Amino acid sequence: NSPRARSGGSGSLPTPLPDDPSQPVTFPPSPPTPPTSRPPPSDACSGNKIATYTWSQSYWREGDQSLVNFAKSDMGRQWNCGDLYINIADASNYNFIKDQTNLVSWMKKWRQESGNNGIIWLTYGDVVDKSGEKMVAFVNTFEQFLMRSVNAQTMADIAPIGISFDVEHI
């Protein structure tokens, strides 16, 4: 599935995008239009603002519904209304986020179904290789992911998001 197939519509990504994800993409000039507005927050998750951290990538890569199902449950709405930390890369894939389209779709689903408006922290974890160079290189990978896979409307749907690092002894 080519990145070009995912672009289009209002706020579309610049074209053409290089097919090779190692090739850089640059931000297009900002148009003189106002920013895309974010949908109003849901009040479905009004419980305790306790964060959730998960290492599994199965939620978007394999269709595992358990995290979203928990967030939609009474217990989830009581205790899972804080930020979400979800692992998206480590030293083995610091230079490419796998299944990017599925990740974006999953974040939209998380917002729509959980009612959670906390920050989705997309986490790079490196507790094995302990490679500071790969961690730093991941910042560029994250930027490229946003440019390739997240247009303005999508960002409005999934925001707020952030980048987080789960690293030890680097």
Side-chain angles (χ1 to χ4, degrees):
N1 199 4
S2 166
R4 282 181 206 120
R6 292 189 302 272
S7 65
S10 175
S12 65
L13 297 173
T15 55
L17 288 176
D19 287 329
D20 181 353
S22 67
Q23 296 298 310
V25 179
T26 57
F27 282 106
S30 296
T33 58
T36 305
S37 62
R38 184 169 182 223
S42 162
D43 63 355
C45 199
S46 57
N48 298 294
K49 302 291 183 192
I50 296 175
T52 300
Y53 180 89
T54 179
W55 189 259
S56 179
Q57 296 182 10
S58 66
Y59 303 115
W60 79 89
R61 295 191 66 208
E62 299 169 15
D64 179 349
Q65 298 295 312
S66 60
L67 185 59
V68 172
N69 289 343
F70 172 71
K72 294 187 317 186
S73 72
D74 291 342
M75 186 66 72
R77 294 205 191 284
Q78 180 179 354
W79 294 104
N80 193 43
C81 292
D83 295 349
L84 171 66
Y85 292 79
I86 189 161
N87 175 265
I88 61 168
D90 59 31
S92 70
N93 69 311
Y94 71 94
N95 59 343
F96 187 74
I97 297 169
K98 298 174 184 175
D99 301 320
Q100 295 179 20
T101 302
N102 291 348
L103 175 58
V104 172
S105 296
W106 185 89
M107 288 190 287
K108 287 180 181 180
K109 181 178 182 156
W110 173 259
R111 291 291 185 211
Q112 293 165 354
E113 295 188 20
S114 73
N116 183 314
N117 295 310
I119 299 169
I120 299 173
W121 293 102
L122 302 171
T123 303
Y124 171 85
D126 183 358
V127 296
V128 177
D129 282 9
K130 301 177 183 174
S131 172
E133 289 179 17
K134 289 179 179 178
M135 177 185 69
V136 171
F138 179 72
V139 174
N140 184 59
T141 300
F142 188 78
E143 177 188 37
Q144 297 297 311
F145 157 70
L146 292 176
M147 294 179 67
R148 290 175 181 280
S149 301
V150 182
N151 63 31
Q153 182 57 55
T154 298
M155 182 57 80
D157 293 340
I158 64 176
I161 67 170
I163 184 173
S164 175
F165 295 92
D166 178 16
V167 293
E168 298 171 16
H169 312 294
I170 290 185

